[in-house]
Amino acid sequence: MAGVRRSRVDVFAGVLCAGVAVCTIFSFATPQAAAQSVAPGGFDIAEDAKMLLAADELIYNNDTGVVVASGGVQIDYGNYKLVADRVEYDQQSGRMRAFGSVEMVEPSGNRIYADNLDVTDDFADGFLNALRIETPDETRIAAESAERGDGRTTFNNGVYTACEACEKDPERAPFWQVKAKRVIQNGETQTVRLEQARFELFGMPIAYLPYLELPDHNKKRKSGFLAPSYITAENLGTGVSIPYYWAISPYMDATFTGTGYTNQGFLGQAEFRQNFANGEHTLQMAGISQTNPGDFDANTSDSLVTTRGMIASRGAFRINPRWTFGWDGMLQTDNNFSETYGIPGYGTSTVKSEVYLTGLSNRSHFDLRAYRFDIQDADENNAAERRQAAAHPSLDYKRTFSDPVAGGELSLNVNGYSVSRQADDTTVRSGFVATDPLNADRYKGFAGANARLSTELEWKRTLTTMNGLRLTPILAARGDVNSVNVDTAPSDYNGTFAGNGTHARGMVTAGLEASYPVLVTAASSSHVFEPIGQVFVRPDETLAGGIPNEDAQSFVFDATSLFERDKFSGFDRTEGGIRANVGMRYTGSYDNGLTTQFAFGQSYHLAGLNSFAAPDLSQATRNSGLENDVSDYVAMGGLAYNGLSLATSARFNKDDFRAERTDVRAGFAKNRISTSLTYTEIKAPRPNTYAEDDRREVTGSASLKIHDYWRVAATASYDLFDKKFNSTAFGLLYEDECFAFALAYETTRDDANTNAQDWKIGARLSFRTLGDIGGGGVSSPLLKSSF
């Protein structure tokens, strides 16, 4: 159409249709147009764009140059679409007017409804009466009239909202809306500006806003103040946070937040973010000068330091598609600042600072990193953190070779570390003889330095006989080099400690696994029963338990580790001696969707030194269930059906079948309800020669959608032995298409009697497209909404 306005019509083609679908279709092409047209928001209309028009009736006046289309008019031009009852186009003035039930769709996705419309033929300038706009993100603007020009649309006496109109009563005010004397939608800056506005809830004015600017649906980043948040905490008081977002460039932005606490004063925070072509970096800072440090427990890091702060940096960069380099590090003035004030990303009880290099391919994985731990508690001596090891570095490399070796699969595993700590990490139990290995102190870590490098090769091949028997021979060879330089050697540990210096170890293993899976089918189900047996032949473990154990302390003997060649969780210990593992595995599948699984077995030490009975500096193998020649029984089972899942695992004493360890996990998720429950019980050893009590804990969570828009949720962790809640949280959430509200209450058990942040109350009020009024510092997922 722009070419029609500027030059003669060069191509004219028409088709007339009679009957019910009487129509006229016209195509206009303007090859002589000097330039393309630009509509609001920078939507280009190509110079060779064609207009497609359909109508019941078309009248063309040769004298006046006016084209009138009436009856179901449809126009498609340059990604603009227009429908109306009647359209008049003046070729001389280049104006197009539409009347009656006008609807226009812009290239941006905006859908405009109006009683009548008067625009130029490139849709760049014009005037509309009695209109409303729906954007692709379902925000809505209604106004008495509007003008278009200079890339902007100005709405007079407009209403802005993200709420849908009531289906039963469209005239009723939406839940929230903003009425403004002028609403300006700027296509160049991609913003919506409201002038002389008032915010209304349920049609009632709540606040006057002389000026409010929001990003439109095409732009998600816009400098300006964000919605405030608030928090109420035990020793901080009530706090109000006001963040300011600064969009520095398309690749860089920052957020500055000021929080005023009634008890502790002003907390300043800043977060700077920058994206690069191959990664991103974030710099975060926070600080406060506490006005009432005495509100915290006396003689704690919270109360002893007045000026407190932190600085953190994290980044991740892709060197190439396979390699990644990154870091995440934090420094703070004391050991509890970030947790006390809930600094985002660093407010947990343990914060890990690290630098890493990782590589990944189809058949190999490389991971090299150095790290340390910040233990955030209120201990002014920082004793817990001094006992934590710093790794500099740790290495893990795994590779499975592509080419078969003797018809089997060959894999390589390299693992190593170098660690140091400032203080011994020991557990001292009074009243027992220290020279007795079973009653000695537990050496979980030593002050000083310790390093190890291990390399292991494993080969295995599975053969299936004619009758279905599966045989898997396994060969493995491993070598270790340890360097030990601890400050204080545990000389009273009955001679178990190997001493400072360099120690070399080796281990070779030959094993055979045999299994015979049997498939049993029934009318409505199928079942697989698989008896399995293993035998491993190897020499005794060298220096068993006498070298500091850093990475094999989390040893748990259960049905998942029963058939492992080496049941230790790390490389500081290695299983030696001749051992056999036997058991049964079962899976079932039913036509109604029920699936079941079960495993049961036992392990037998046949000859040589039993590594699990050998004294261990860290007591990792104590009461493991493998310390005798005949192990405890281990079992696991589970089922899943129609949203219900149940899984349990247990270790039973070999003599009287007492449950030494029990784990039960249950969950249900269907329709409006989602629940989960976990129960864990670990029995104290028998005979009770070691001062340790039973441990029993239950953790549960539940979420119930009580209405289309209402949901309640709760989580709790309860110590059944101490009869105390470790943590609790309760939340109430309302969410519809334009508004969300959440309220959460959290408590955390603090046996150290440091009262900072023992309980929190947080709330979040979200108006879609306007932002949140939220509970800053409250981390509960119960507060999260979908927008």
Side-chain angles (χ1 to χ4, degrees):
M1 281 298 233
V4 173
R5 176 165 59 90
R6 290 189 288 268
S7 64
R8 63 183 179 85
V9 176
D10 297 290
V11 178
F12 177 90
V15 178
L16 298 179
C17 306
V20 177
V22 178
C23 63
T24 308
I25 302 175
F26 291 92
S27 175
F28 298 91
T30 59
Q32 287 133 332
Q36 62 188 13
S37 300
V38 180
F43 305 117
D44 296 340
I45 299 178
E47 60 183 54
D48 59 348
K50 297 181 180 180
M51 168 178 282
L52 297 178
L53 181 149
D56 293 340
E57 184 180 41
L58 180 70
I59 300 174
Y60 179 70
N61 192 320
N62 290 316
D63 297 330
T64 62
V66 175
V67 180
V68 179
S70 59
V73 181
Q74 300 181 34
I75 296 177
D76 190 340
Y77 178 52
N79 292 325
Y80 282 87
K81 294 177 175 59
L82 174 70
V83 297
D85 294 338
R86 175 185 173 90
V87 172
E88 296 180 0
Y89 173 64
D90 189 332
Q91 288 184 308
Q92 296 181 2
S93 64
R95 304 292 296 188
M96 182 170 60
R97 294 186 297 171
F99 306 91
S101 303
V102 178
E103 179 179 345
M104 184 172 69
V105 179
E106 298 180 314
S108 65
N110 284 349
R111 190 175 296 271
I112 301 173
Y113 303 89
D115 289 342
N116 56 72
L117 173 148
D118 184 353
V119 295
T120 56
D121 55 9
D122 60 1
F123 298 96
D125 302 296
F127 183 85
L128 303 91
N129 276 328
L131 79 155
R132 61 187 175 91
I133 289 181
E134 294 180 0
T135 65
D137 66 346
E138 297 184 351
T139 57
R140 297 163 176 84
I141 301 174
E144 293 179 356
S145 62
E147 299 92 22
R148 296 168 64 100
D150 298 327
R152 299 188 304 175
T153 303
T154 301
F155 304 89
N156 301 310
N157 296 324
V159 178
Y160 176 91
T161 184
C163 302
E164 292 183 1
C166 178
E167 185 175 337
K168 296 181 179 179
D169 184 7
E171 299 300 323
R172 190 176 70 179
F175 175 77
W176 68 264
Q177 62 184 5
V178 180
K179 290 184 177 180
K181 185 174 182 180
R182 293 207 310 168
V183 179
I184 302 173
Q185 188 177 42
N186 194 319
E188 295 180 358
T189 62
Q190 295 181 334
T191 59
V192 177
R193 176 172 173 169
L194 299 96
E195 298 178 350
Q196 300 183 40
R198 64 178 186 271
F199 179 76
E200 295 184 355
L201 284 177
F202 299 107
M204 300 294 295
I206 300 298
Y208 175 73
L209 306 170
Y211 167 83
L212 179 64
E213 188 169 276
L214 308 167
D216 70 10
H217 67 279
N218 289 316
K219 186 173 184 179
K220 303 303 181 183
R221 302 170 68 249
K222 171 66 177 176
S223 298
F225 287 98
L226 304 178
S229 62
Y230 79 91
I231 180 177
T232 299
E234 189 169 354
N235 292 311
L236 304 181
T238 300
V240 178
S241 298
I242 300 177
Y244 180 82
Y245 176 77
W246 181 19
I248 304 172
S249 75
Y251 315 104
M252 191 184 311
D253 58 23
T255 303
F256 304 94
T257 305
T259 305
Y261 288 103
T262 55
N263 288 9
Q264 300 301 335
F266 179 79
L267 172 70
Q269 300 178 69
E271 184 174 354
F272 172 83
R273 299 166 291 270
Q274 185 172 10
N275 286 336
F276 300 89
N278 63 335
E280 60 185 6
H281 169 249
T282 300
L283 179 66
Q284 197 167 342
M285 295 173 286
I288 190 174
S289 179
Q290 297 181 150
T291 56
N292 295 298
D295 289 349
F296 298 101
D297 283 356
N299 299 319
T300 64
S301 60
D302 290 323
S303 64
L304 294 176
V305 183
T306 300
T307 301
R308 310 175 70 182
M310 62 83 69
I311 183 170
S313 172
R314 62 180 176 272
F317 292 88
R318 297 177 300 276
I319 301 174
N320 58 41
R322 293 186 177 183
W323 290 90
T324 301
F325 171 75
W327 70 90
D328 188 352
M330 179 192 73
L331 295 173
Q332 54 184 356
T333 54
D334 59 89
N335 58 305
N336 203 40
F337 167 75
S338 295
E339 183 184 34
T340 299
Y341 287 92
I343 305 302
Y346 301 94
T348 57
S349 59
T350 302
V351 176
K352 182 180 181 181
S353 296
E354 63 180 344
V355 57
Y356 61 86
L357 174 67
T358 62
L360 181 65
S361 67
N362 292 334
R363 302 181 69 85
S364 63
H365 174 260
F366 178 90
D367 187 286
L368 178 67
R369 63 186 63 218
Y371 55 86
R372 66 176 180 83
F373 296 95
D374 285 282
I375 306 300
Q376 299 201 82
D377 57 24
D379 179 12
E380 73 277 15
N381 297 318
N382 210 10
E385 187 170 313
R386 289 170 53 84
R387 293 193 296 267
Q388 288 293 314
H392 39 71
S394 69
L395 168 67
D396 191 19
Y397 173 71
K398 297 179 181 179
R399 177 178 177 82
T400 301
F401 294 93
S402 302
D403 298 329
V405 176
E409 182 182 80
L410 181 66
S411 60
L412 171 68
N413 198 345
V414 179
N415 182 274
Y417 66 75
S418 174
V419 300
S420 62
R421 54 171 53 82
Q422 297 176 331
D424 288 336
D425 187 5
T426 60
T427 301
V428 179
R429 302 294 183 179
S430 60
F432 298 100
V433 180
T435 57
D436 186 340
L438 291 178
N439 299 334
D441 297 344
R442 183 181 179 190
Y443 295 93
K444 295 183 289 185
F446 297 90
N450 180 34
R452 174 186 50 76
L453 179 64
S454 302
T455 302
E456 182 178 65
L457 278 171
E458 182 188 63
W459 174 90
K460 59 183 178 180
R461 180 183 180 184
T462 299
L463 306 171
T464 304
T465 64
M466 293 295 293
N467 61 359
L469 177 66
R470 294 165 56 89
L471 298 174
T472 304
I474 301 171
L475 298 175
R478 169 179 157 180
D480 305 317
V481 176
N482 286 74
S483 176
V484 181
N485 185 19
V486 299
D487 295 347
T488 305
S491 57
D492 59 348
Y493 197 71
N494 200 25
T496 301
F497 181 56
N500 287 331
T502 302
H503 308 280
R505 303 182 301 175
M507 177 64 66
V508 292
T509 302
L512 178 66
E513 176 181 295
S515 65
Y516 192 73
V518 177
L519 174 65
V520 178
T521 59
S524 60
S525 62
S526 62
H527 310 266
V528 177
F529 298 88
E530 184 183 14
I532 183 171
Q534 296 174 323
V535 61
F536 294 103
V537 179
R538 53 206 160 194
D540 294 343
E541 179 186 6
T542 305
L543 301 175
I547 295 176
N549 183 355
E550 297 284 352
D551 73 342
Q553 296 185 18
S554 58
F555 170 72
V556 175
F557 175 49
D558 57 20
T560 61
S561 60
L562 171 63
F563 298 110
E564 293 290 333
R565 174 175 56 84
D566 190 338
K567 296 178 176 60
F568 284 107
S569 58
F571 284 81
D572 282 334
R573 294 294 308 272
T574 180
E575 188 175 340
I578 301 175
R579 178 170 293 276
N581 307 308
V582 297
M584 171 71 76
R585 293 189 292 217
Y586 159 81
T587 59
S589 178
Y590 296 80
D591 291 348
N592 62 359
L594 173 66
T595 59
T596 57
Q597 59 180 352
F598 177 76
F600 180 82
Q602 196 173 28
S603 184
Y604 302 89
H605 176 70
L606 303 180
L609 176 67
N610 186 348
S611 295
F612 304 102
D616 185 289
L617 293 172
S618 65
Q619 294 283 10
T621 59
R622 177 181 168 273
N623 194 38
S624 66
L626 289 164
E627 62 270 22
N628 298 308
D629 289 343
V630 178
S631 78
D632 288 345
Y633 300 99
V634 290
M636 64 176 293
L639 61 85
Y641 174 70
N642 198 23
L644 173 67
S645 63
L646 176 66
T648 180
S649 63
R651 175 166 63 89
F652 302 97
N653 187 274
K654 64 181 181 62
D655 297 321
D656 58 8
F657 219 68
R658 182 184 81 152
E660 301 291 346
R661 180 185 179 111
T662 305
D663 294 282
V664 179
R665 296 170 297 278
F668 179 76
K670 189 175 182 181
N671 298 330
R672 296 175 176 267
I673 188 171
S674 174
T675 63
S676 66
L677 183 69
T678 301
Y679 170 79
T680 300
E681 179 178 8
I682 303 176
K683 290 290 187 180
R686 292 186 306 179
N688 193 10
T689 56
Y690 199 75
E692 187 173 298
D693 299 316
D694 290 354
R695 287 181 286 170
R696 297 190 298 273
E697 182 180 81
V698 60
T699 301
S701 65
S703 175
L704 174 63
K705 191 174 183 180
I706 57 179
H707 185 268
D708 290 343
Y709 305 123
W710 288 94
R711 179 168 60 89
V712 293
T715 63
S717 175
Y718 186 74
D719 190 325
L720 294 168
F721 182 81
D722 291 338
K723 297 182 179 180
K724 295 179 180 179
F725 280 98
N726 295 322
S727 63
T728 58
F730 174 80
L732 177 67
L733 177 67
Y734 173 89
E735 182 174 358
D736 58 26
E737 80 284 351
C738 69
F739 162 75
F741 166 77
L743 177 68
Y745 171 77
E746 292 182 356
T747 63
T748 303
R749 177 177 171 182
D750 190 354
D751 288 333
N753 196 31
T754 56
N755 292 325
Q757 303 290 47
D758 280 353
W759 59 262
K760 301 177 186 177
I761 297 177
R764 185 173 298 279
L765 193 62
S766 300
F767 301 100
R768 189 170 66 84
T769 73
L770 290 185
D772 295 345
I773 301 175
V778 179
S779 59
S780 174
L782 304 178
L783 287 177
K784 293 184 178 179
S785 63
S786 61
F787 56 84

